[in-house]
Amino acid sequence: MDEKMSATAALGSYAKACPHAFMPYVEQTLSTLAGMSNYWHDEARAAAYDSLQKLTLAIHRVFTPSTSTSVAIAAAGPVVLSEQCRVLVEAAMPSLTSPVEDDVSKVAVTAAAAALGHLLKELGQGAVGPIHLEAAANMAKALLENKAMCQEAEDDDEEGDAGDDEELAAEDEELLAAAADLLPALALSMGQDAYAPVFRSLHVEPLIARLKPQQPIALRAIAAGAVAEVAEKLGARMAPVVPTLLPLLLRELQSSDDINRQNAAYCSGLLVQASPEQATPFMPQLLTALHNMFRPEEAAGAQDNAVGAVGRIMTAVPQALPLGQVLPVLLGAMPLKEDLNETT
C-alpha cells in the first residue's frame, strides 16, 4: 500500500520537476492516475488527486507560449490554454470535483479540494470552462455546509471512538481550510464580476453559519480568513454582505484565540475599505475592539493585523477617527513584528 501511494505521488513530482522529459509518459500516467483516483485506500486517492493537478500544470508549462507572448495574452484578456493542456483539464476537473459526492474519506476530499484550488489559481482567469467552474463552486458550497459525502458519512457513524476526537477535529479543519481556499481561486478563475454573485448566492451563507458562536473556535478562524481572502479579490463587490458579516467579526475580535482575533482584524479592515458606507454604523464598536488589540500582551500577529485594519479605516473613513488620539497608538505599535504583509 505504501509503495502504491509513494509511486502515485512520485508521478506528480516527476512531472512537476521535469515537465519536458516527462512528456512521453503523459498518456500512460493520466490513465494510471485515473485508476488510482478510484483506489480503495484514501491516501492513495489523495496522492492521485494531487498528482493530477501537477501533471496538468506540467503540460501547461511545456506548451505555454513564450514570456513575451504570455504578457500579450494576459494584457488582451483571459488565458487561452493550449490544446494539449485543455485535454488534461477536461480529464482532471471531473476527477477533482466528483469526490465531494462520492468519496467517504475527508483526507482524500481535502486533497482533491486543495489540488483543485491550486490548479485554478495557477491556470488563471478564463482557463477553465463554466461547467467545471460551476462544479467547483458547488463543491465549495457542499464542503462549507458540511454536506459532502465524507462529512455526512461521519455524522452517520455512531461507533466513533472518543479518543479519536482530536484527529477528527484536525481533519475537519484541514477540509474546511481547503474549501476556503477554493473561494479566492474561483474569484481568480471566474473573474471578480462573475464570481461576486456566485459568492453571494452560494458561499456567503455557509460562511456566516461557520462564524456562529456554536461553531468550534478553529473553524470560525478559518471562516474569517476565507471571508478576508474573498474580500481581497472582490473589493467593493462585497458591499451587500458587509452589514451581515461585520457583527460576526466583531465577536471574533473578542475571541480568546489569537488566530481568531488576527483573522477578524484583517477581515474587518478589508470590509471597511471595500464599503465604507455600509461599515459606518459599526465603526464605534469596531474601533473599540481594535483598540483592545494594542495592549502590550497582545499576540504579535494579531496586533500587526489590528495596525493594518486601523490603517485601512484611516484611508477609507478618515472622519471616523480622532487622528490625534489614534496616531500615537498606531505608531507605538510599529514596527510590525510578525505579519509583514501588512506593510503593503
Side-chain angles (χ1 to χ4, degrees), residues 47-307:
Y49 299 143
D50 183 55
S51 288
L52 267 173
Q53 63 89 6
K54 287 177 178 173
L55 179 65
T56 304
L57 292 176
I59 295 288
H60 184 49
R61 284 194 294 275
V62 169
F63 292 99
T64 292
S66 65
T67 303
S68 58
T69 308
S70 295
V71 171
I73 290 174
V79 172
V80 178
L81 295 180
S82 66
E83 182 57 31
Q84 296 89 340
C85 187
R86 176 69 61 190
V87 170
L88 265 292
V89 168
E90 291 298 318
M93 287 297 294
S95 294
L96 296 179
T97 55
S98 62
V100 72
E101 298 177 348
D102 57 28
D103 198 317
V104 297
S105 165
K106 288 185 177 180
V107 170
V109 177
T110 297
L116 177 60
H118 187 69
L119 187 62
L120 293 177
K121 288 178 182 176
E122 290 298 311
L123 291 178
Q125 183 177 349
V128 176
I131 293 175
H132 296 314
L133 289 174
E134 181 180 359
N138 287 330
M139 180 183 193
K141 179 178 186 288
L143 292 171
L144 293 172
E145 290 181 335
N146 214 42
K147 291 182 178 178
M149 174 173 278
C150 62
Q151 294 165 317
E152 293 181 337
E154 181 184 280
D155 291 340
D156 293 339
D157 183 7
E158 298 178 358
E159 303 297 327
D161 185 345
D164 293 335
D165 285 351
E166 189 172 329
E167 181 179 346
L168 292 173
E171 288 183 358
D172 286 340
E173 292 170 26
E174 291 171 6
L175 183 57
L176 185 61
D181 285 344
L182 273 176
L183 307 188
L186 282 164
L188 177 63
S189 187
M190 297 175 74
Q192 297 170 326
D193 290 333
Y195 179 62
V198 173
F199 176 69
R200 293 195 295 268
S201 63
L202 295 185
H203 299 148
V204 73
E205 288 299 328
L207 284 172
I208 288 169
R210 291 288 191 173
L211 283 166
K212 293 295 177 64
Q214 59 267 33
Q215 287 284 306
I217 195 167
L219 300 187
R220 298 203 310 269
I222 294 169
V227 174
E229 289 199 53
V230 173
E232 280 186 307
K233 294 289 189 292
L234 297 188
R237 299 166 187 82
M238 292 290 289
V241 298
V242 167
T244 305
L245 289 167
L246 271 179
L248 299 170
L249 294 168
L250 284 168
R251 184 189 299 118
E252 293 308 309
L253 286 170
Q254 302 171 54
S255 170
S256 60
D257 189 89
D258 299 346
I259 299 299
N260 289 58
R261 295 194 304 279
Q262 179 171 341
N263 288 356
Y266 181 53
C267 189
S268 297
L270 288 171
L271 292 182
V272 173
Q273 192 174 45
S275 181
E277 183 178 348
Q278 298 286 351
T280 296
F282 305 95
M283 207 59 63
Q285 294 168 275
L286 179 57
L287 292 174
T288 298
L290 290 171
H291 181 266
N292 292 334
M293 296 177 67
F294 285 84
R295 300 166 299 176
E297 64 270 21
E298 180 60 88
Q303 187 170 100
D304 289 348
N305 279 266
V307 169

